[in-house]
């Protein structure tokens, strides 16, 4: 016996054993352990004596020559190799487990990568935690989200910057927007920001090439521009001679001073500019607006800064609030607005506050997608839990077939901790393999999501490269997953009773199946929550898409142009002539049924204009009667093109130009509010006479409710304002099936070859893009819900299959005694249906609770919508029936004689 053990131990130390030798070793070690116990030794003492005899001291617990650390490493290496061999012998289980884990870990990691880039990633500047954004409360503006505003006038900026002692620097800036940048005879669109001269110094950004502008260069004749690294590489092919090169911006000359480092993409997440110019240089780009430097209450600047090291933010906020309130009090006496009651109440109640800006200034992208991404993160977390529950069930079933192996190990002296360690190592190997694949899934899914939400002409510039946050989240998720699905099966499998060795059984007794049932109930509950959430988001999207927006969304092409980009910004008459000529050409194009122009596009949730009507027919309204309105400036043919019906009066006419009396068309909501269902035609709003009433239509997105809207003549109001809002959009209703894109470009080139075209899309596509957030939630939640249903089906299939296999002898006996098949079906299916019902009962409250957290994302559907919850419950019950179909067919094929012989 000793010779045999020595021979087998030598083979083990060389790690050349195969499955046959492993079985032989287990048999002989079991026999030797019994013999030693008969001599009065414990099994552990027998194992230690055998290993010492074989001369392998590192494997002997407590040997003075063995280092505990090396022994632990040696165990890990052994267990990892053993786990790989076991997994290789079960390819179906291994493949299913790795794919399930890859999806379960990859989904939350991918969404977290995007959430991190949009919300959490710190700015690539020194000490980003010192960065703050300045804002102030708006106690009178009840419609503002969060009741705060971040736009300041220039006099406020100057006073805050000069009088602060707690801030190391405050800078101000604004988004100039789309410009036409020409260099070397070629032109292209670029996104431009303008900031005060201390912008880069306060941030601590250093140039990658050349230099950055400074405070001394922020003057009225400032003519330097700094390019972003990405724009420099894509537009100028990373030409190092770009520094000092002359370029023109909207035909105004500038000189390239330098290039920012690659990691710096601006301070507003998702709005990465292509270039920066000093703030004062905007006078050269937009002449005639010099009053904004001194005008109080003319808010147009975003302010941010850096708190001095060691200064508490609350102290800095208190100091700046005093300056803010003092400046507002002084401005009351300087501005005509100071006589208005609303302005006086605002000055009395407004307070300045500092908002953390370590991860960037608040942007439209962050405000729009922060909550949806967090909701998707929670949904993906539920998918991970469902995946772990499913894998835990698979491991429990797998462990039941390995009971003899585990009990042999225990008989040879292996402690429970050692068995648990070996099984957890196998789970960890599975998790690591799934985690590697999950990283690829995460990277691909986050990049895909970014492309989905990049709806503009310029893709969103968001850095999705893994950072410490993403890596830490990925590792944490991987280890949590390993613990969630590996620990419980390992603990249960390590509780050996010796019954498998005595009887040769591979079954699990009835008393040990509570954990299996609990996991199934948890998996069904998670699936119900996921399916119900998907149903709520899908119904929200359907409800929004089915709304009548007040216009016909089909067969309308839209595009925008900006006269300033071609150098028409200083002459509003030339700009008006340009826009009028473009409209004439669009209306005359073959295949175009009608065409119109407007400042605000239909359902444009990115751009809107708000005002208040304070007088009607020359009579001033009381403060409580003033009407908050949205407004637009449109041309003749606009209402006909978008198919919004004229209810009273007439449309805007071609003769409603700068030489004609001012006119305005109002919508139903304004007419009802201002004239109590009377006839508004002929009445005056401000200086404009009402000439028509149109049907209500949605103004600012599909979630918008009908509101009072004024429609001015674009060639009156737009010309008077110098088209200062930027672009003018054109709407063309075309014959069904036509493609006008190329023809539109040719017509624009005929007007002015230097005039760029942008935002070319159909009205139907713009409406779909306005629902992108809801579509994203509906699509991803539906995918995750489908995955949860699949996992629930697999889990229930495993449960029913195990039930059938365990009760084959009983089924044979019942069949031999004449039991009807329907009784046999119910005998097997009953447990699955009971567990499914228990999971549904637990999952419905979970779904309702989660939906309340996301109720602001729902539309015309309640978090406790009974139709959605009942549908989710029925789907899970259907899954239980489908999962039991294949196992129950085995019941029909049970031969009573074979079953009895097996028994």
């Amino acid at each position: 016996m000793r010779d045999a053990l020595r021979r087998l131990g030598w083979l083990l130390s060389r790690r050349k054993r195969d499955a046959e030798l492993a079985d032989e070793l287990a048999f002989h070690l079991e026999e030797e352990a019994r013999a030693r116990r008969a001599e009065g030794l414990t099994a552990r003492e027998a194992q230690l004596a055998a290993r010492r005899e074989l001369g392998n001291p590192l494997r002997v617990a407590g040997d003075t020559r063995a280092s505990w650390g090396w022994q632990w490493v040696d165990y890990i290496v052994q267990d990892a190799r053993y786990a790989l061999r076991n997994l290789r012998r079960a390819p179906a289980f291994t493949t299913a487990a790795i794919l399930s884990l890859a999806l379960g870990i990859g989904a939350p990691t991918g969404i977290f990568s995007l959430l991190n880039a949009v919300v959490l990633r710190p700015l690539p500047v020194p000490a980003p935690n010192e960065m703050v954004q300045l804002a102030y409360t708006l106690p009178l503006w009840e419609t503002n989200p969060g009741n705060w505003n971040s736009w300041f006038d220039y006099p406020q900026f100057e006073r805050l910057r000069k009088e602060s002692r707690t801030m190391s620097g405050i800078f101000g800036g604004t988004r100039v927007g789309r410009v036409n940048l020409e260099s070397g005879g070629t032109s292209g669109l670029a996104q431009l920001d303008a900031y005060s001269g201390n912008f880069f110094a306060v941030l601590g950004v250093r140039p990658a090439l050349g230099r950055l502008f400074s405070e001394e260069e922020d003057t009225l004749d400032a003519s330097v521009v700094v390019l972003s690294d990405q724009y420099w590489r894509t537009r100028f092919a990373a030409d190092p001679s770009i520094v000092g090169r002359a370029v023109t911006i909207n035909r105004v000359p500038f000189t390239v001073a330098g290039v920012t480092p690659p990691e710096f993409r601006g301070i507003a997440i998702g709005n990465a500019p292509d270039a920066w110019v000093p703030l004062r240089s905007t006078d050269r780009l937009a002449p005639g607006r010099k009053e904004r430097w001194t005008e109080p209450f003319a808010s147009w600047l975003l302010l941010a800064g850096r708190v001095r090291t060691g200064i508490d933010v609350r102290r800095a906020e208190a100091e700046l609030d005093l300056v803010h309130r003092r400046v507002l009090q002084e401005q009351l006496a300087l501005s005509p607005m100071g006589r208005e009651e609303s302005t006086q109440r605002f000055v009395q109640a407004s307070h300045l506050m500092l908002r953390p800006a370590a991860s960037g200034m608040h942007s439209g992208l962050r405000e729009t997608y922060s909550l949806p991404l967090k909701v998707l993160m929670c949904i993906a977390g539920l998918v991970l839990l469902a995946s772990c529950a499913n894998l835990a069930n698979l491991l429990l079933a797998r462990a039941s077939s390995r009971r003899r192996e585990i009990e042999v190990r225990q008989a040879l002296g292996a402690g429970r901790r050692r068995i648990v360690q070996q099984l957890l190592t196998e789970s960890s190997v599975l998790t690591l393999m799934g985690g590697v694949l999950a990283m690829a899934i995460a990277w691909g899914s986050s990049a895909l999501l970014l492309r989905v939400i990049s709806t503009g002409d310029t893709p969103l510039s968001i850095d999705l490269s893994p950072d410490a946050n993403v890596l830490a989240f990925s590792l944490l998720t991987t280890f949590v997953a390993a613990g969630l699905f590996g620990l419980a099966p390992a603990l249960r499998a390590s509780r050996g009773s010796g019954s498998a060795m005595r009887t040769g059984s591979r079954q699990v007794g009835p008393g040990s199946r509570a954990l299996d049932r609990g996991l199934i109930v948890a998996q069904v509950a998670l699936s119900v929550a996921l399916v119900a959430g998907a149903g709520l988001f899908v119904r929200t999207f359907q409800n929004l898409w089915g709304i009548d927006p007040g216009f016909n969304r089909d067969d309308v092409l839209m595009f925008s142009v900006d006269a300033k980009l071609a150098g028409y910004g200083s002459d509003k008459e030339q700009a008006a002539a340009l826009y009028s000529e473009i409209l004439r050409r669009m209306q005359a194009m073959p295949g175009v049924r009608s065409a119109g122009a407007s400042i605000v596009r239909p359902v444009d949730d990115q751009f809107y204009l708000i005002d208040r009507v304070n007088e009607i027919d020359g009579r001033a309204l009381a403060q409580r009667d003033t009407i908050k309105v949205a407004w637009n400036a449109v041309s003749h043919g606009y209402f006909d093109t978008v198919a919004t019906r004229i209810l009273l009066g007439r449309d805007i006419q071609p003769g409603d130009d700068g030489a004609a009396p001012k006119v305005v068309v109002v919508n139903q909501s304004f007419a009802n509010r201002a004239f109590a269902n009377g006839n508004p035609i002929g009445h005056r709003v401000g200086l404009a006479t009402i000439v028509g009433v149109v049907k209500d239509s949605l103004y600012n997105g599909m979630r918008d409710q009908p509101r009072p809207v004024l429609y001015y003549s674009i060639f009156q109001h737009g010309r008077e304002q110098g088209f200062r809002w930027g672009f003018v959009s054109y709407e063309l209703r075309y014959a069904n099936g036509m493609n006008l894109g190329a023809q539109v470009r040719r017509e624009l080139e005929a007007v002015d070859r230097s005039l760029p075209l942008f935002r070319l899309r159909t009205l139907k596509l713009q409406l779909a893009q306005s629902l992108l957030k809801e579509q994203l939630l509906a699509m991803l939640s539906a995918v995750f819900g489908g995955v949860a249903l699949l996992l629930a089906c697999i889990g229930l299939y495993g449960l029913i299959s195990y039930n059938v296999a365990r009760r084959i002898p009983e089924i044979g006996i019942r069949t031999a005694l004449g039991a009807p098949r329907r009784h046999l079906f119910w005998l097997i299916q009953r447990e699955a249906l009971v567990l499914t019902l228990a999971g549904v009962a637990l999952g419905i409250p979970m779904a309702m609770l989660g939906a309340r957290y996301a109720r602001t994302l729902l539309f015309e559907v309640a978090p406790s919508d009974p139709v959605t919850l009942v549908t989710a419950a029925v789907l899970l019950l259907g899954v239980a029936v489908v999962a039991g179909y294949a196992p129950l067919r085995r019941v029909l094929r049970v031969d009573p004689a074979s079953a009895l012989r097996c028994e």
Side-chain angles (χ1 to χ4, degrees):
M1 179 64 65
R2 182 172 298 175
D3 293 337
L5 287 174
R6 183 180 293 108
R7 181 172 59 85
L8 292 176
W10 180 80
L11 290 174
L12 176 62
S13 68
R14 295 293 301 270
R15 295 176 176 84
K16 292 182 178 180
R17 64 175 183 174
D18 54 17
E20 183 179 352
L21 289 175
D23 291 339
E24 184 181 356
L25 175 62
F27 172 79
H28 287 296
L29 289 178
E30 180 180 349
E31 294 296 323
E32 179 68 15
R34 289 176 180 173
R36 291 301 183 98
R37 285 200 300 272
E39 296 173 0
L41 295 178
T42 65
R44 181 62 174 167
E45 290 171 342
Q47 181 187 34
L48 294 179
R51 290 188 174 182
R52 285 195 181 95
E53 186 69 20
L54 293 173
N56 192 359
L58 284 180
R59 300 173 190 271
V60 180
D63 194 300
T64 57
R65 295 172 293 174
S67 163
W68 182 88
W70 282 109
Q71 181 184 359
W72 182 81
V73 171
D74 191 57
Y75 281 153
I76 292 295
V77 172
Q78 288 182 66
D79 292 344
R81 291 181 177 179
Y82 182 71
L84 288 172
R85 285 196 298 271
N86 274 341
L87 294 175
R88 188 169 60 246
R89 292 169 187 162
F93 165 79
T94 303
T95 302
I98 290 176
L99 290 178
S100 182
L101 275 171
L103 182 60
I105 298 173
T109 303
I111 295 174
F112 179 80
S113 296
L114 193 56
L115 180 66
N116 176 65
V118 173
V119 179
L120 303 176
R121 186 189 294 271
L123 289 172
V125 299
N129 290 331
E130 296 177 355
M131 299 301 303
V132 292
Q133 181 179 359
L134 279 68
Y136 54 89
T137 57
L138 280 172
L140 301 179
W141 197 355
E142 68 283 353
T143 60
N144 184 272
N147 206 32
W148 61 275
N149 192 18
S150 56
W151 297 96
F152 291 78
D153 58 54
Y154 191 80
Q156 282 178 300
F157 165 53
E158 285 291 336
R159 291 285 296 277
L160 290 168
R161 182 168 64 166
K162 290 179 180 177
E163 297 185 22
S164 174
R165 298 295 179 267
T166 58
M167 305 286 290
S168 60
I170 299 176
F171 58 80
T174 188
R175 188 166 182 81
V176 178
R178 193 179 287 104
V179 297
N180 190 16
L181 195 149
E182 299 181 53
S183 175
T186 62
S187 63
L189 294 178
Q191 294 293 333
L192 184 69
D193 277 8
Y195 277 93
S196 55
N198 63 339
F199 174 65
F200 293 110
V202 172
L203 288 173
V205 177
R206 296 183 178 277
L209 193 68
R211 61 180 180 83
L212 308 176
F213 58 71
S214 61
E215 287 199 73
E216 292 73 22
E217 292 177 294
D218 188 9
T219 59
L220 294 176
D221 58 350
S223 60
V224 294
V225 59
V226 174
L227 305 180
S228 71
D229 178 83
Q230 184 178 12
Y231 187 72
W232 171 57
R233 294 181 185 278
T234 55
R235 174 69 188 278
F236 298 102
D239 184 1
S241 65
I242 189 68
V243 176
R245 183 179 301 181
V247 299
T248 64
I249 301 176
N250 294 351
R251 297 187 177 179
V252 177
F254 282 81
T255 302
V256 177
V259 178
T260 60
E263 66 274 9
F264 183 73
R265 304 187 180 194
I267 58 173
I269 304 302
N271 297 328
D274 298 313
W276 294 265
V277 296
L279 187 61
R280 286 282 183 171
S281 67
T282 54
D283 277 355
R284 301 175 64 228
L285 295 171
R289 297 179 61 189
K290 291 184 171 54
E291 69 279 358
R292 60 184 172 174
W293 304 106
T294 57
E295 185 178 2
F297 301 114
S299 302
W300 61 285
L301 286 177
L302 291 171
L303 304 187
R306 184 183 290 276
V307 180
R308 290 187 185 276
T309 304
I311 299 294
D312 186 73
V313 174
R314 289 173 296 183
R315 176 184 168 189
E317 184 177 78
E319 180 204 49
L320 293 176
D321 181 47
L322 289 176
V323 179
H324 167 71
R325 294 178 59 77
R326 185 162 59 244
V327 172
L328 290 180
Q329 291 289 345
E330 294 172 2
Q331 288 180 340
L332 279 177
L334 300 176
S335 172
M337 294 178 61
R339 294 190 293 270
E340 298 179 6
E341 181 183 353
S342 61
T343 304
Q344 294 173 3
R345 285 194 290 143
F346 160 71
V347 169
Q348 292 173 0
S350 179
H351 288 276
L352 186 139
M353 55 184 178
L354 298 181
R355 298 175 63 87
S359 56
M361 296 176 69
H362 293 261
S363 63
L365 179 75
R366 177 176 292 177
E367 300 296 337
T368 300
Y369 286 101
S370 178
L371 180 58
L373 286 175
K374 291 176 182 177
V375 170
L376 286 175
M377 192 66 212
C378 294
I379 293 175
L382 294 181
V383 172
L384 174 61
L385 291 177
S387 175
C388 290
N390 186 63
L391 281 173
N393 258 327
L394 289 176
L395 285 177
L396 286 170
R398 181 175 166 80
S400 68
S401 66
R402 299 173 63 183
R403 291 185 64 209
R404 179 175 174 81
E405 170 199 342
I406 292 170
E407 291 184 1
V408 167
R409 290 172 176 270
Q410 291 174 330
L412 293 174
R416 187 180 184 190
R417 185 175 65 179
R418 184 70 184 87
I419 297 295
V420 170
Q421 177 184 326
Q422 192 273 318
L423 295 176
L424 281 179
T425 301
E426 185 172 325
S427 302
S428 300
V429 169
L430 264 180
T431 309
L432 289 175
M433 295 168 69
V436 172
L437 183 58
M439 289 304 294
I441 294 176
W443 183 85
S445 60
S446 58
L448 178 62
L449 287 176
L450 179 60
R451 285 196 295 271
V452 169
I453 65 177
S454 297
T455 60
D457 299 286
T458 304
L460 292 174
S461 180
I462 296 178
D463 184 10
L464 291 177
S465 59
D467 61 1
N469 289 340
V470 175
L471 294 177
F473 179 84
S474 179
L475 289 174
L476 178 63
T477 305
T478 301
F479 285 121
V480 167
L484 285 176
F485 79 83
L487 184 60
L491 290 175
R492 195 180 78 173
S494 64
R495 292 200 309 263
S497 62
S499 59
M501 289 176 59
R502 291 191 299 269
T503 66
S505 171
R506 293 175 180 264
Q507 302 292 337
V508 177
S512 62
R513 301 197 60 242
L515 181 58
D516 308 59
R517 297 184 179 96
L519 287 171
I520 289 293
V521 170
Q523 192 173 346
V524 171
L526 292 170
S527 299
V528 169
L530 287 167
V531 172
L536 292 175
F537 289 128
V538 169
R539 290 194 62 190
T540 291
F541 177 72
Q542 291 175 338
N543 292 341
L544 288 168
W545 185 257
I547 289 176
D548 177 15
F551 49 78
N552 187 345
R553 68 190 77 182
D554 297 320
D555 301 328
V556 176
L557 179 69
M558 303 185 298
F559 66 91
S560 300
V561 295
D562 189 346
K564 295 193 300 296
L565 303 185
Y568 293 89
S570 59
D571 193 329
K572 59 185 179 182
E573 297 300 328
Q574 285 186 352
L578 175 76
Y579 292 135
S580 179
E581 175 62 14
I582 294 173
L583 178 61
R584 186 190 67 78
R585 286 178 174 271
M586 296 301 108
Q587 290 173 335
M589 265 185 9
V592 174
R593 295 176 177 175
S594 61
S598 65
I599 298 296
V600 180
R601 292 184 174 202
V603 196
D604 190 349
D605 56 354
Q606 302 298 318
F607 180 69
Y608 51 93
L609 300 167
I610 304 296
D611 202 355
R612 286 188 179 273
V613 173
N614 299 313
E615 65 174 43
I616 294 179
D617 293 330
R619 174 178 53 85
L621 299 178
Q623 180 65 36
R624 64 178 182 276
D625 295 329
T626 60
I627 305 174
K628 187 177 180 179
V629 297
W631 64 273
N632 199 353
V634 302
S635 73
H636 56 281
Y638 170 81
F639 295 114
D640 186 37
T641 300
V642 299
T644 298
R645 191 158 49 95
I646 301 287
L647 302 178
L648 289 174
R650 65 173 178 87
D651 194 355
I652 301 291
Q653 299 296 332
D656 294 326
D657 55 17
K662 295 180 180 180
V663 298
V664 63
V665 173
V666 302
N667 71 340
Q668 285 175 281
S669 294
F670 181 87
N672 294 338
R673 171 79 182 274
F675 301 100
N677 299 318
N679 189 344
I681 303 299
H683 292 273
R684 286 185 296 113
V685 177
L687 299 177
T689 302
I690 299 174
V691 296
V693 179
V694 296
K695 177 184 175 182
D696 281 342
S697 61
L698 300 184
Y699 180 85
N700 181 223
M702 298 300 287
R703 287 180 179 269
D704 196 18
Q705 297 296 320
R707 64 171 76 182
V709 182
L710 306 179
Y711 298 92
Y712 297 103
S713 169
I714 193 171
F715 296 113
Q716 286 181 340
H717 200 74
R719 184 199 307 261
E720 183 181 77
Q721 298 291 328
F723 300 98
R724 62 184 177 86
W725 310 283
F727 55 83
V728 169
S729 294
Y730 292 86
E731 295 81 23
L732 284 65
R733 181 166 293 280
Y734 54 87
N736 188 24
M738 291 195 65
N739 186 356
L740 298 178
Q743 192 174 353
V744 166
R745 295 181 187 278
R746 286 195 297 271
E747 293 294 337
L748 281 181
E749 289 179 356
V751 176
D752 190 330
R753 297 186 65 86
S754 64
L755 187 65
L757 172 148
F758 50 93
R759 300 184 74 196
L760 178 68
R761 63 178 69 107
T762 64
L763 177 54
K764 193 171 186 177
L765 178 59
Q766 176 155 313
L767 190 147
Q769 289 178 347
S770 72
L771 296 177
L772 186 61
K773 177 178 65 176
E774 290 78 9
Q775 186 178 10
L776 185 69
L777 279 169
M779 178 182 67
L780 290 181
S781 62
V783 170
F784 292 150
V787 171
L789 282 177
L790 178 61
L791 292 174
C793 186
I794 294 172
L796 289 167
Y797 171 81
L799 174 73
I800 298 173
S801 296
Y802 180 79
N803 255 345
V804 169
R806 185 170 62 89
R807 306 180 75 170
I808 285 292
E810 177 187 352
I811 292 171
I813 294 173
R814 289 177 179 272
T815 304
L817 294 176
R821 289 180 176 177
R822 64 177 182 275
H823 290 174
L824 298 177
F825 280 3
W826 177 244
L827 180 71
I828 300 300
Q829 188 76 28
R830 178 175 54 193
E831 182 181 16
L833 290 177
V834 168
L835 294 179
T836 302
L837 288 172
V840 168
L842 182 62
I844 287 178
M846 289 173 55
M848 295 171 61
L849 184 64
R852 287 181 181 178
Y853 169 73
R855 63 181 178 274
T856 58
L857 300 174
L858 304 178
F859 183 79
E860 293 186 355
V861 57
S864 57
D865 179 55
V867 175
T868 303
L869 296 176
V870 169
T871 302
V874 170
L875 276 175
L876 265 297
L877 290 172
V879 163
V881 173
V882 171
Y885 175 73
L888 289 174
R889 287 187 61 187
R890 292 177 57 191
V891 175
L892 301 178
R893 297 198 297 267
V894 171
D895 179 25
S898 299
L900 290 173
R901 281 196 299 271
C902 177
E903 182 65 17

